[in-house]
Amino acid sequence: MKCQSWRRIQRCLLLAVAMLSAAVRADELTIAVASNFTAPMQEITRQFEKRSGHKVRLAFGSSGKFFAQISHGAPYHAFFSADQDKPQRLDKLGQTTKDSRFTYAEGKLVLWSSEPGVVDAKGTVLNQGAYNKLAIANPKLAPYGAAALEVLRHLQIEEQSRTHWILGENISQTYQFVASGNADLGLVALSQVLKNGEVTSGSAWIVPTQLYRPIRQDAVILKRGTELPALREFWAFVQSEEARAIIRAYGYNTPAPAASNSNNRREAPIHNTGHNHAE
Amino acid sequence: MLSDADLTAIWLTLRLATTVTVLLLLLGTPLALWLARTSSPFKGPVSALVALPLVLPPTVLGFYLLIFMGPSGPLGRFTEMLGMGTLPFTFWGLVVASLLYSLPFVVQPIQNAIEAQGARPAEVAATLRAGPWDRFWHVTLPLARPGILTASVLGFAHTVGEFGVVLMIGGNIPGETRVVSVQIYDHVEALEYTQAHWLSAAMIGFSFFILLLLYRLQHRKSASGMRYGI
């Protein structure tokens, strides 16, 4: 009996040692990702893990929450925000790796209903007001919400649609409101309703990009990730053409790396703490 | 300090908590009475159902309520049939959610209080020819008063503190579903930490006060020999 349990302990120890030594070679990365980027990020990391043997743990949520957590020491190695403002602020707070920031994607909006035949090819359903609830992300909190508000302003239906608004705290909750049928319409991220480059369920109108400013999304390496070679590898991978093709397949634009780098430099004044975070 | 939006949220929260507490006392007291007196085999399962919100994460409750009250859920179909539309994103949707969420906080103290007095007082009243209604109204209920007080305070306070469920079914509509906890969340998400501090401090003060009140009441009751409730 005694002998048996001793053998079991030995076996456990051996296993632990084996796992530890494996961990030395394959790093584990922990990355915070804005919820609109969930699907493409899962695919990118799947490819990356296959190729590199490293392990990537992903946390999805709202950028505001991640910002608060990171500035209070949350153990993430990198952060993919839904906007440019929060990575910039983290830069200024000295929480990031110098010059790691780049624009990984430009998001697009789609007017979507989980029912077929509700949204027409030109989105006139919005003007006609023939709907009950319109889900948008909270414009104060989410860049996709701010863009949605811009669209409604452009179409001059901000006031008349206001009583129909249902605000999601981030874009995935907004999507959830529409997907569950509780809101008949919603302005959500194109990436959420796209599968293999096609809108496969319900009905949708891809909002023309002239109606809102581009939703530029920046990523940064955080202090904890600075020294990790695996993260450097990952950074190179997300900027590779292969990853950019995945990102585009989910309905994002991928701005040219050079162009995004040029507005990455620390040109913003340090004392700028204006509340333009919805941008 | 507190903005207009904050005050609207506070007012809405108080309205919600009051509505829920009143409804829960009306629905929870008969349920507690039944649970305290019954020897039915359903007592166990029903008690477990009542206590379920204590252990369930609010997101589970919110998730199922969103489906249950939505246009393809049973309750959603029913309310649509009545011409009321669906409940998510409305004040009454929050009321329904809070009723479930705060149920154990009201039922359990009342049940405890009734169980603690035992069957004896009602039996004595029966020998004096008091009918069932008379016994309930003039014997059982007054004796259970400390438990009912506890239930009201806890039900109210717990509804005020609700967050996860509201976030999932509320839709964040000012004056309709944006309660204090969601408003604080909004402030934090928008990096408006000062406003978040003010409102949070107000919540802490309020919660402390209400618990202090509760313990005062408890203490007074126990001093006079009635140790019921929590």
Side-chain angles (χ1 to χ4, degrees):
Chain A
M1 186 70 198
K2 227 179 208 172
C3 185
Q4 233 177 5
S5 65
W6 173 237
R7 209 176 291 160
R8 204 180 303 157
I9 291 171
Q10 265 184 323
R11 219 183 300 150
C12 280
L13 276 175
L14 266 176
L15 193 69
V17 170
M19 278 167 71
L20 271 175
S21 57
V24 171
R25 269 173 280 120
D27 277 325
E28 189 168 278
L29 302 174
T30 310
I31 298 175
V33 185
S35 45
N36 74 79
F37 202 59
T38 303
M41 194 55 155
Q42 280 168 335
E43 193 168 334
I44 289 172
T45 49
R46 213 177 300 132
Q47 297 300 331
F48 176 73
E49 285 180 339
K50 221 189 285 169
R51 191 135 333 157
S52 65
H54 298 305
K55 184 105 191 61
V56 185
R57 287 191 301 177
L58 299 173
F60 300 106
S62 71
S63 305
K65 200 180 318 162
F66 283 132
F67 175 87
Q69 292 175 348
I70 291 164
S71 50
H72 290 95
Y76 298 116
H77 296 130
F79 173 39
F80 284 70
S81 183
D83 60 6
Q84 296 191 298
D85 173 63
K86 291 180 185 80
Q88 269 168 24
R89 279 170 186 256
L90 289 170
D91 260 355
K92 279 174 214 153
L93 290 172
Q95 300 271 1
T96 63
T97 304
K98 209 164 163 280
D99 295 331
S100 63
R101 180 154 58 88
F102 75 104
T103 303
Y104 62 93
E106 252 176 39
K108 288 187 208 160
L109 272 181
V110 62
L111 180 71
W112 184 63
S113 162
S114 59
E115 297 286 322
V118 174
V119 181
D120 50 289
K122 287 187 172 153
T124 41
V125 59
L126 261 187
N127 294 307
Q128 289 162 350
Y131 56 90
N132 190 15
K133 304 235 160 67
L134 171 68
I136 62 176
N138 191 336
K140 201 175 109 184
L141 310 181
Y144 282 87
L149 188 59
E150 263 185 86
V151 171
L152 296 176
R153 280 194 185 140
H154 253 119
L155 298 173
Q156 300 183 322
I157 50 171
E158 185 194 346
E159 285 315 314
Q160 75 183 68
S161 67
R162 190 179 289 271
T163 49
H164 299 283
W165 290 0
I166 301 299
L167 302 185
E169 61 116 358
N170 62 36
I171 201 68
S172 34
Q173 204 194 14
T174 314
Y175 173 80
Q176 186 188 313
F177 286 158
V178 188
S180 64
N182 280 295
D184 18 19
L185 284 182
L187 281 161
V188 300
L190 181 57
S191 57
Q192 294 175 304
V193 300
L194 227 50
K195 225 177 212 149
N196 304 322
E198 256 182 277
V199 179
T200 47
S201 70
S203 47
W205 170 55
I206 298 174
V207 182
T209 42
Q210 305 91 275
L211 295 182
Y212 56 93
R213 273 167 294 169
I215 307 164
R216 293 177 145 255
Q217 309 190 184
D218 279 9
V220 274
I221 296 179
L222 301 168
K223 274 274 180 278
R224 285 173 195 262
T226 310
E227 303 296 330
L228 287 177
L231 194 57
R232 286 288 164 192
E233 274 177 57
F234 184 71
W235 226 238
F237 184 71
V238 281
Q239 296 183 58
S240 71
E241 189 41 45
E242 185 184 352
R244 287 156 55 86
I246 295 175
I247 296 173
R248 280 195 299 272
Y250 281 92
Y252 295 93
N253 281 342
T254 47
S260 70
N261 275 342
S262 68
N263 58 31
N264 269 352
R265 303 292 171 224
R266 305 158 172 266
E267 83 284 15
I270 300 294
H271 60 269
N272 177 11
T273 52
H275 288 273
N276 55 348
H277 35 257
E279 294 304 303
Chain B
M1 279 176 66
L2 295 180
S3 68
D4 277 355
D6 292 343
L7 294 175
T8 311
I10 291 176
W11 171 234
L12 176 72
T13 308
L14 295 179
R15 234 172 64 207
L16 176 69
T18 312
T19 313
V20 168
T21 310
V22 169
L23 285 176
L24 270 181
L25 286 177
L26 290 177
L27 300 170
T29 309
L31 182 58
L33 184 71
W34 180 78
L35 280 172
R37 294 275 191 253
T38 187
S39 49
S40 146
F42 291 112
K43 180 176 175 170
V46 173
S47 304
L49 274 179
V50 168
L52 212 50
L54 288 175
V55 291
L56 280 185
T59 39
V60 172
L61 216 54
F63 175 59
Y64 280 123
L65 280 172
L66 196 63
I67 293 170
F68 188 69
M69 306 195 303
S72 39
L75 186 60
R77 287 220 190 103
F78 180 68
T79 50
E80 276 195 327
M81 203 181 73
L82 297 179
M84 293 158 52
T86 50
L87 284 170
F89 321 129
T90 64
F91 179 76
W92 289 100
L94 292 196
V95 170
V96 171
S98 310
L99 283 179
L100 287 174
Y101 182 65
S102 298
L103 186 67
F105 291 83
V106 172
V107 170
Q108 288 186 348
I110 301 179
Q111 185 188 342
N112 288 344
I114 294 174
E115 275 173 355
Q117 61 183 259
R120 185 107 181 105
E123 279 168 13
V124 171
T127 63
L128 299 172
R129 291 205 201 142
W133 183 249
D134 195 18
R135 293 198 296 262
F136 171 69
W137 202 246
H138 291 111
V139 179
T140 308
L141 216 50
L143 281 175
R145 218 179 66 190
I148 293 171
L149 269 174
T150 306
S152 326
V153 176
L154 282 182
F156 188 88
H158 196 244
T159 307
V160 167
E162 177 180 341
F163 171 69
V165 180
V166 193
L167 193 70
M168 290 197 67
I169 65 157
N172 208 341
I173 304 164
E176 178 94 14
T177 58
R178 185 184 291 169
V179 293
V180 171
S181 54
V182 174
Q183 177 79 0
I184 292 174
Y185 183 79
D186 255 32
H187 284 321
V188 174
E189 283 279 288
L191 317 185
E192 297 164 352
Y193 291 167
T194 318
Q195 280 108 306
H197 273 310
W198 276 114
L199 206 51
S200 304
M203 273 294 260
I204 293 173
F206 170 79
S207 309
F208 179 78
F209 173 77
I210 209 156
L211 288 174
L212 190 69
L213 187 81
L214 181 65
Y215 291 127
R216 275 266 169 89
L217 285 171
Q218 291 287 321
H219 184 70
R220 222 178 54 209
K221 296 303 168 196
S222 62
S224 62
M226 295 193 285
R227 252 179 267 262
Y228 309 136
I230 54 164

